[in-house]
Amino acid sequence: MSNWPNSDDNLFSSSLASYLDRKILILLRDGREFLGTFRSFDQYANIVLEGTLERIMVGNLFCDIPLGLYIIRGENIMLIGERESDEKELPPHMTCVSVTEIRKAQKEELKGSTTRKMDFLDFD
């Protein structure tokens, strides 16, 4: 352990502090995406987002689900990035749909991927 004031622990904390009060995108280990304003964090990198949206994308469809004030456990975070603006960040071919439509698309995608994974099994 170094006595240098900018040790690795301090670098991580200061880099998170540089995002405070900025609009960020967080990608979790399970693939979920959250967008919101970064309000706070602690020594475990748990993060508080305000005005949080969960962005779900399936094929060319997407939906931003409003969640409000949200706490994300630090051990689940894979990536944090600053968002440039409030403008749409998605390609023009993406279509915004309702929550029920995106959930239906998710189920169909999951059903299809499960079927493909099981194709190698021959029960006959």
Side-chain angles (χ1 to χ4, degrees), residues 57 60 62 88-95:
M57 294 186 285
N60 290 335
F62 81 96
K88 295 285 185 199
E89 301 150 347
L90 298 169
H93 71 276
M94 298 292 288
T95 305

Side-chain angles (χ1 to χ4, degrees), residues 41-73:
F41 67 98
D42 64 10
Q43 70 269 25
Y44 304 107
N46 297 319
I47 287 181
V48 177
L49 288 180
E50 183 179 52
T52 308
L53 300 171
E54 180 178 4
R55 177 166 287 167
I56 300 174
M57 294 186 285
V58 178
N60 290 335
L61 305 176
F62 81 96
C63 181
D64 287 340
I65 302 171
L67 302 172
L69 190 65
Y70 211 71
I71 299 172
I72 300 174
R73 189 174 174 118

Side-chain angles (χ1 to χ4, degrees), residues 98-115:
S98 70
V99 175
T100 54
E101 289 177 88
I102 202 73
R103 295 287 185 210
K104 182 179 176 185
Q106 276 183 314
K107 286 180 184 176
E108 289 173 8
E109 182 182 57
L110 183 61
K111 182 179 176 184
S113 67
T114 303
T115 303

